[in-house]
Amino acid sequence: MVDIPWKKRKLIARLIDPDHAGEETLVTAVRLADEAGVDIFMAGGSLTSVPVTDVIRKLKQLSSIPVVLFPGNLTQLTAGADAIFLLSLISGRNPELLIGSHVIAAPLLKNMRERVIPVGYMLIDCGGGTSVEYMSQTSPIPSGKNDIAVATALAGEMLGMKAIYLEGGSGAARPVNPSMIKAVSDELTIPVITGGGIDSAEKVEVAFGAGADMVVIGNGCEKNPELIKGACRVRDSYNRDTFII
Ligand code: 1GP
């Protein structure tokens, strides 16, 4: 069981896509994450050919940073992670991703229920089609529709979700609009996670400044592994200025 320090400070999560995590890449990513002080590893992806469980095992061997399973589908369910994001795709209207998969997963998850974190997962249009849009067969919330995003996130909070994830999609052309992050985080009492297309320290700063509690970076660090250091520096300066730590 991992106690994620939501709301106590801003957090950086490094998303590891199992298909892009060969031995050498993973060792380097872990070393840089340890040096930078990454808060959380997330492991998973929309479509993976390498078992997520293998990547989680390696992450646990190499580092003491908590690992959160970020399952793209039911085949990725595994017991090895410190926590599991149980995602409901509340921006969409695909019943399988709102409840169907959860029913199938429940008997497998019941023995690790204390590690399950229900997350309202919201796909936001950030330019260009994304894998999650196609794989989920759902439409994203249009970029400028903050009112729809706020209403959806509020519904997620009132349904009992423990966090809301504003997702631009891996490798999105641009991150989630900061005005939407602000509109949503202003209305919620639960943490706001955002990710997708965050490929610079400046974009991390914009997301935190808008109210994100946790910023997720995957692709950006695959292209530029040193980005994680800049991202964590931004987090640290933000935390110094905002929280007593
Ligand atoms: C995807 O939000 C995450 O689910 C991370 O996206 O790979 O674009 O950083 P990137």
Side-chain angles (χ1 to χ4, degrees):
M1 170 70 175
V2 59
D3 184 20
I4 300 178
W6 309 111
K7 298 287 184 193
K8 295 189 181 126
R9 52 194 176 87
K10 303 284 186 185
L11 305 168
I12 291 284
R14 170 73 165 92
L15 175 64
I16 305 288
D17 179 335
D19 282 3
H20 302 165
E23 186 72 29
E24 205 177 311
T25 310
L26 198 64
V27 168
T28 304
V30 168
R31 179 178 57 76
L32 290 170
D34 273 332
E35 285 170 13
V38 160
D39 297 284
I40 283 168
F41 281 123
M42 286 166 51
S46 298
L47 182 67
T48 56
S49 54
V50 174
V52 182
T53 192
D54 292 355
V55 172
I56 291 176
R57 192 181 317 112
K58 282 187 199 150
L59 286 169
K60 298 295 301 168
Q61 282 165 1
L62 292 168
S63 171
S64 57
I65 296 172
V67 181
V68 177
L69 175 65
F70 179 56
N73 57 58
L74 285 167
T75 68
Q76 295 175 18
L77 286 184
T78 170
D82 299 292
I84 299 155
F85 282 168
L86 184 62
L87 305 169
S88 291
L89 186 53
I90 59 174
S91 58
R93 298 297 180 268
N94 178 341
E96 284 306 312
L97 303 178
L98 287 164
I99 184 64
S101 296
H102 311 71
V103 172
I104 295 168
L108 300 169
L109 292 175
K110 72 173 182 182
N111 289 333
M112 38 181 160
R113 68 183 80 184
E114 74 288 349
R115 282 186 275 157
V116 170
I117 302 171
V119 173
Y121 191 53
M122 294 172 49
L123 184 57
I124 313 298
D125 184 12
C126 288
T130 58
S131 299
V132 62
E133 185 179 334
Y134 180 78
M135 295 303 289
S136 68
Q137 293 286 296
T138 67
S139 313
I141 294 177
S143 174
K145 300 291 185 188
N146 292 2
D147 53 348
I148 298 177
V150 168
T152 307
L154 277 171
E157 174 167 342
M158 289 187 277
L159 281 165
M161 308 294 171
K162 297 289 185 246
I164 292 292
Y165 193 137
L166 300 178
E167 171 68 276
S170 202
R174 55 176 191 275
V176 174
N177 189 332
S179 78
M180 184 179 283
I181 298 174
K182 177 162 176 34
V184 168
S185 64
D186 279 354
E187 291 288 344
L188 295 193
T189 65
I190 56 175
V192 173
I193 305 166
T194 194
I198 295 181
D199 56 7
S200 70
E202 291 72 28
K203 290 176 184 170
V204 174
E205 187 155 22
V206 167
F208 281 145
D213 296 285
M214 182 161 95
V215 170
V216 182
I217 310 177
N219 260 270
C221 288
E222 288 175 14
K223 293 193 185 114
N224 170 19
E226 299 283 329
L227 167 62
I228 202 66
K229 293 186 177 172
C232 287
R233 269 198 298 272
V234 168
R235 174 208 57 192
D236 291 342
S237 69
Y238 205 97
N239 284 341
R240 259 195 309 274
D241 294 346
T242 317
F243 299 97
I244 300 163
I245 53 172

